[in-house]
Structure formats: structure tokens, C-alpha cells
Amino acid sequence: MRKRHAIAAMALVLAVPAAGQTTERYYEYDEYGMIGRGEGWAHRFAHSLFDSFLGTEYYVVQEEGENGERSFQTEDSEDRTIMSLSNGDNHICVKKTYHFGPGHTPNCYLGLNILCSNRPPEASADLPQRVGKGFEFGFALGQYGYHVTPNFGFNTALYLTRSRYWLERGSYLAWQDNGSGEVLTLVGPGNGVSQGWLRYWSLRVPFCMEFSAGSHNGVFLAFGPEIEYRFADVSKVRYTGGSKEKLTKDTGINPLGLNATVRLGIDDFGIIARYSFNELFNASSPVSTFPFMIGLSASF
């Protein structure tokens, strides 16, 4: 019960920055590159907080004027204008600048995943899987960054993700007594099971360095470490007759993970890959395996 309350409270907290984002599609730039994809109240609050420490200028986007122009006002009450360009993007005319912006952190991604040996992407011999069937998806609850130069910066985000791994037909994970206690065991085909799989949710926070062409429309490369918190892990099976069963709500996975992540792309689209440096299961598990994922990412 305590775990359910903790997850519910975390979901409520994480929903706050997500609710503050705008769905309006226009880009904002300063001399150091893209600083935002529209300004929701959550982003305005974050920028205002950082600006108060750094003494940089903050603006508030106001109503749309003639010819599609947008006016905004700085703290010293001097009006500025965001000029609408022919390609649909918008640039800001400012004297000062704050260098904050999400860069090319994706809003969402979808990829194929596999549980590997310590030589990715080689599948783990301890856990035979249906290669190409496992998948993972994720979406950003908040994105933040800082431009050091027009071509270099740092960014991070908070992602909620769901991972699913398909085992070979008829194989599944279950707790069994080995004489000295219950251990998570890979059970071979049989017992009327047609398909087994493992599933869990994660909160992920990557910390990436990003090299880009200096504008949102250019090529970019980002890489760095990522911390992960895993929860709600289950082992499930489907029987030959079609019915499903949840074998366990606790598979003994490591709740914390340290990963390496890489993103490469152009404009709003890219390729994303991730590998975990620590094993998925805890030390008492006889199964030794490391998560690996590669997929497509997008920003909207």
C-alpha cells in the first residue's frame, strides 16, 4: 500500500511540469541557439528562477500583433518583438539573453530493446529472448538545458518509460525454491505456456552534452550518462488457450540503473540508443543480463 501511495504521489508531482507546457508550435532563439518550443507557465517559472540568480533578462510572450508578430515585455518594461519568418520559425530580438533551452531533447521515442550479455547488442545466453519483439517507449515530462555556445550546450529531461522483453516461446521467469530459499528462475518451455515476458516502468534522467549546427534545423549529436529508477516490474505468461496470468509483481530487479545514452539526428527527428552498465537483476538472481535499446525519437 505504501508503494502505491508513493507512486501516486510521484505521478502527481511529475504531472505539474507536463501540464505547464504549451502545444503551440513555434521556436524561439537567442544568439546561443534554440531556447524553447513555446513558453508554458512551468518553463516561465523555471527561467525566472534561474534568471534571478544570474541577472539575465527574462521576457513574457504577449498577444499576437499585426502580421503575425508577437510582442513581449522585459523586466525593465522595454518592449521587444518576435519577428515571424517565412519558414514559420520565430526569432527573438533581444539585447541581453538567457542561455536556457531544451536543445534537441526529444519529446518522445519508441525503440526495440533486448537484455544483453556484457557485450551489447549480443543477447544474453542466460535469458533467451525473441529478438526484435521487445520494445520500449517513453515521453518527456520536462526538458531543460543551457547553451554555452551556439554549437555546444548541456541538456537534461525527465522521462517516463515502459520496457517490455519477450522471452522465447514457452519460457518464463518465476520464483522457485532451490532448497535454500526462493530464487528467480528461468523456466523452460512447458506447463501449457505459449509466451512469457517481463515488463517494468522507469523514470529516466539523462545528462547530455550536445553538439549542434547552431539552430534547431541542423544536425545534432548528444551523449552522456543517465540515471534510472525502475518500478512496477512484473513477470507474465500467456497460456495456450489464450488466457494470461501475472506470475509475480516483484522480479527482483535493481531499482536504480546507470546507463549511457546517445542521440543523433537532424531537426526534430533522431536515433537514440542506450546501454546499462549495471545488471538488471539483483545479485541473488542466477540471471545475468544488461538492458540495451535502440530506436527513433521525435520532438513536436
Side-chain angles (χ1 to χ4, degrees), residues 1-236:
M1 183 65 68
R2 184 180 299 175
K3 184 176 181 180
R4 291 182 180 178
H5 289 167
I7 293 174
M10 186 178 298
L12 181 62
V13 171
L14 295 175
V16 171
Q21 311 308 312
T22 61
T23 57
E24 185 175 7
R25 182 180 174 83
Y26 68 90
Y27 297 126
E28 300 159 7
Y29 294 81
D30 64 12
E31 63 182 272
Y32 282 77
M34 192 184 76
I35 60 174
R37 300 189 188 99
E39 283 289 284
W41 67 264
H43 278 176
R44 289 200 303 270
F45 174 79
H47 288 161
S48 180
L49 180 64
F50 286 123
D51 293 342
S52 65
F53 289 118
L54 299 179
T56 51
E57 188 169 309
Y58 176 67
Y59 71 94
V60 177
V61 177
Q62 296 178 337
E63 61 187 32
E64 202 172 289
E66 296 181 1
N67 301 321
E69 295 180 352
R70 293 178 180 275
S71 63
F72 69 93
Q73 198 170 44
T74 61
E75 291 179 349
D76 58 6
S77 300
E78 294 181 9
D79 289 330
R80 302 287 187 270
T81 302
I82 301 176
M83 303 300 294
S84 180
L85 304 181
S86 59
N87 63 0
D89 290 343
N90 297 283
H91 283 62
I92 291 177
C93 303
V94 293
K95 294 180 180 179
K96 300 179 182 178
T97 179
Y98 58 87
H99 303 182
F100 295 94
H104 291 86
T105 53
N107 291 94
C108 59
Y109 70 88
L110 175 65
L112 297 176
N113 58 15
I114 191 170
L115 294 172
C116 299
S117 66
N118 55 6
R119 299 175 59 185
E122 180 183 271
S124 173
D126 295 330
L127 198 63
Q129 300 158 74
R130 298 179 63 186
V131 179
K133 292 293 184 179
F135 68 92
E136 176 182 309
F137 68 83
F139 57 91
L141 302 175
Q143 302 153 287
Y144 306 96
Y146 184 84
H147 300 285
V148 180
T149 74
N151 305 103
F152 174 70
F154 297 92
N155 53 59
T156 184
L158 176 61
Y159 290 96
L160 178 64
T161 71
R162 184 179 187 270
S163 303
R164 187 174 182 176
Y165 301 91
W166 292 73
L167 306 181
E168 283 191 347
R169 290 185 180 276
S171 300
Y172 58 95
L173 291 169
W175 292 99
Q176 294 191 345
D177 192 343
N178 66 352
S180 59
E182 293 280 321
V183 295
L184 188 68
T185 306
L186 176 66
V187 181
N191 302 320
V193 174
S194 62
Q195 181 63 64
W197 67 90
L198 169 70
R199 187 218 70 200
Y200 58 86
W201 290 82
S202 295
L203 293 174
R204 304 179 185 274
V205 181
F207 300 94
C208 291
M209 294 188 298
E210 180 177 298
F211 299 87
S212 67
S215 72
H216 187 73
N217 296 320
V219 177
F220 67 89
L221 169 66
F223 56 89
E226 176 188 82
I227 57 175
E228 174 185 9
Y229 172 69
R230 308 181 183 107
F231 60 96
D233 50 307
V234 298
S235 175
K236 286 187 171 184

